Each structure stands twice: as structure tokens, then as C-alpha cells.
Amino acid sequence: MQLPDTILSSELGKSRVSETWRVKMTALLPSNARQMPTGCPGGAREAQAGAPVAQRILIVIDAWAPQVNGVVRSYENLVCELRRLGHRVEIVSPQLFMTISLPGYDEIALALGPYRKLARWIEEFSPDILHIAVEGPLGWAARRYCRRHDLPFSTAFHTNFPAYIALRAPRLIRKPLERMTRMLLRRFHGAAQHTFVATPSLEAQLRGWGFAGSLRRLSRGVNADLFFPPPERPQAEVPVLLYVGRVAVEKNLEAFLSLTEAETGPVQKLSSATAPRSRPCAKPIRMSRFAGSWRGRRSRLPTGPPMSSCFHRALIHSGS
């Protein structure tokens, strides 16, 4: 069975990610699989004479397009750049299964009973590298398969779920839920050959939580075709404060909206976000101009990051 190929946007196919980002992305690969011909999109190409053989890479991910978030955008670019290097990359996402919506986030689909179908795809694709991106139903199913079949795999830590849950849980059960979530995360990632983290501070946090396995740095980068220093702003122009992200409690949008002119000086607030939530933020969001979801736009002054993110892509984009 051929795995359904993931459709990447034409924007991704045309974009050029900075060379630094491309080099860092290859950390997913073994050292003998990092010198490949370029070209994106497309599957693995024949290696040049004397070059290592292209790798078959399977990424199992519980968050994928049409969602717009840091995890999805990171892996869209990762897939594109790995294909540029000549590797064959396939994605297994919830779109290939029966799903239900995550309570409170209708746009997030959770795969129902994915193990058998996922196992069949893993066996028939026969990956050289298997990476589990998210600790969701697909992630746990892929982990189970790998453990059963003694198949090495890597994981990545993208979301601070203990903090995410603490923001939503009743006060009386908040601490026990945080402890239980950390225990589950240790178990999930403890079986991986490597767990990728974005920053030294995140690595230190996971060590503090008792993560004893191999933690490897997989930083983020900037698409220099989209994000670059602009011409100098005219002095008479009012600076723009830009919020980028979902409108949700963990994004700490209230802190941005509550900034006063005494703290910032004269500014214009601009929110580039997906679907404002209906009640708690409906009133304060009107204090700023709401622009919907953007790609490739920037402001002079970045704001953030959210309280449960492990790495905020908008900050490095706005600073580039």
C-alpha cells in the first residue's frame, strides 16, 4: 500500500528556508544520511555517485494542515527541506482516520482506534527513520507499535501540556493533574532513542521533570525569503504591536491587550489570530484591530510568548 502523499502548499514549494535552518533540520537524520541532492517538493531522488542512499522517513503527527500553528508550520517546512535533501518523507496524520474533535478545539481532530491501520502503513512503507511528533492518539499508537517490534524511533517535545492543563483544570485537582501529565510525558518520551527539544532552557526543564533519556537540540529557523529587515519606519509612523497566535487562554492574550499607553507609548495593536473565542476575549479583542490569519507579515515590535509554548516561532520571525 502506498501511503497517501501529503499536499504541501505552493508557497512552501517555492520558498527558500535559510541555510542555517536547513542544516539544523538534518539533525533528524543519522550522520551518514545528510549529504543529498536538493529539490522540493518531491520524494527521494537517486543519490549522486558516491553519495549515501536516500532515507525513507515516516513522520507520525497528530496535528496537521489545515491547522495553522507552530507544530504544523515547523513540520511543513521540515518535510520540504528533507525532500530538498533527496529523502522520501511520508506523513501519517489524523486526516487518514476516523476522527473526533478535541473538546474546546473543534479544529483539532483526534484519530479513533488508529493502531491497526497505522501498523499496516508502517510495515508496508518500511521506514529507515520513524519520528513521532506529538503525544496524541497517533503518537501513542506509533509508540506502541515500535515497542512491540523493537523499532527505534525519535520524538519531539513541542507543548508544555502540564501548564496547558493547569490553565483549564479546577483549582482543587490542578496539581495532581500536572504531576500525572508529567509522569505520562516521561513514559511517552522515555522509550524514544532521542527526544528533540528547541532550546537549552527546555532541556533543563525536562531534566527537572525527571526526563533521563537522550535529549537533542533541534532549533528553529527563519525563512529569509519571507522575513527580513524592512526599510526604516518613518519617525512619524505609529509603531504596531502584533499578536500572532490562536485566541485561547494559554496564549496569554489578555496581557497583550491590557498594555496601556503609559507602558508602551502611542502604538497600534494588531491581532493576527485564528478564530477569537466567543466570551472571555470578545470584549478586549475589540481594543485592537483583528486581522485574521496571516502568512509572511511582520511588525516592528514582537509580543509574546504564550504560557504553554515550548518555542514561539513568531518571535524569531519578527526579530529577523
Side-chain angles (χ1 to χ4, degrees):
M1 176 187 297
Q2 176 72 30
L3 274 175
D5 198 13
T6 303
I7 301 173
L8 297 179
S9 68
S10 57
E11 173 194 351
L12 277 174
K14 296 176 182 176
S15 67
R16 176 182 59 82
V17 175
S18 69
E19 199 62 32
T20 301
W21 181 209
R22 180 173 296 134
V23 170
K24 288 180 177 179
M25 282 180 178
T26 60
L28 267 176
L29 304 174
S31 58
N32 66 348
R34 295 183 184 177
Q35 297 176 354
M36 291 292 166
T38 59
C40 179
R45 291 198 256 161
E46 239 180 81
Q48 298 172 351
V53 176
Q55 302 289 298
R56 299 167 64 86
I57 302 171
L58 184 64
I59 298 176
V60 180
I61 187 166
D62 284 270
W64 198 241
Q67 294 178 46
V68 179
N69 57 49
V71 173
V72 173
R73 294 296 287 160
S74 292
Y75 280 96
E76 283 178 336
N77 283 284
L78 176 61
V79 168
C80 184
E81 294 306 315
L82 288 172
R83 287 174 174 171
R84 283 184 190 274
L85 294 171
H87 302 286
R88 169 136 180 226
V89 185
E90 298 285 359
I91 297 290
V92 175
S93 71
Q95 283 82 343
L96 307 177
F97 301 85
M98 291 184 60
T99 61
I100 59 171
S101 295
L102 178 67
Y105 277 113
D106 291 342
E107 69 272 21
I108 298 180
L110 302 177
L112 290 175
Y115 182 81
R116 289 186 180 180
K117 194 174 182 180
L118 174 63
R120 187 168 70 251
W121 279 338
I122 293 174
E123 291 166 1
E124 296 188 8
F125 182 62
S126 186
D128 300 304
I129 298 168
L130 194 151
H131 178 69
I132 304 174
V134 180
E135 308 94 332
L138 278 175
W140 280 97
R143 178 189 181 277
R144 175 184 168 196
Y145 177 89
C146 292
R147 296 277 286 170
R148 280 188 172 184
H149 295 84
D150 198 25
L151 181 66
F153 64 96
S154 62
T155 60
F157 192 89
H158 293 290
T159 302
N160 186 339
F161 282 112
Y164 181 93
I165 291 172
L167 290 168
R168 289 168 166 76
R171 186 179 299 273
L172 288 176
I173 61 172
R174 190 171 296 168
K175 291 297 182 182
L177 279 177
E178 286 186 78
R179 287 194 295 269
M180 182 179 71
T181 305
R182 286 195 291 267
M183 179 192 69
L184 289 173
L185 290 173
R186 284 195 303 270
R187 180 183 176 191
F188 182 89
H189 294 282
Q193 190 173 35
H194 306 294
T195 296
F196 292 101
V197 296
T199 64
S201 60
L202 179 57
E203 181 176 348
Q205 181 182 42
L206 296 185
R207 292 298 185 202
W209 288 357
F211 279 56
S214 171
L215 301 180
R216 289 198 175 183
R217 201 73 46 74
L218 181 62
S219 187
R220 305 296 187 265
V222 173
N223 187 330
D225 286 339
L226 290 176
F227 301 96
F228 50 86
E232 287 299 316
R233 182 189 302 276
Q235 290 186 357
E237 189 175 339
V238 175
V240 175
L241 297 183
L242 174 64
Y243 166 78
V244 180
R246 292 191 309 277
V247 181
V249 62
E250 72 274 11
K251 297 303 181 182
N252 203 19
L253 181 54
E254 286 83 354
F256 167 62
L257 294 172
S258 65
L259 289 171
T260 65
E261 188 167 319
E263 296 172 304
T264 64
V267 296
Q268 178 187 5
K269 294 179 183 177
L270 181 62
S271 300
S272 173
T274 55
R277 55 180 193 200
S278 57
R279 291 179 186 169
C281 277
K283 183 176 180 180
I285 196 102
R286 289 198 293 270
M287 295 166 54
S288 68
R289 178 182 164 200
F290 185 75
S293 180
W294 279 1
R295 293 191 181 193
R297 301 291 288 274
R298 71 189 304 282
S299 71
R300 171 64 63 182
L301 301 175
T303 62
M307 293 181 286
S308 63
S309 288
C310 295
F311 192 90
H312 198 40
R313 287 168 51 89
L315 291 182
I316 57 171
H317 288 161
S318 59
S320 60

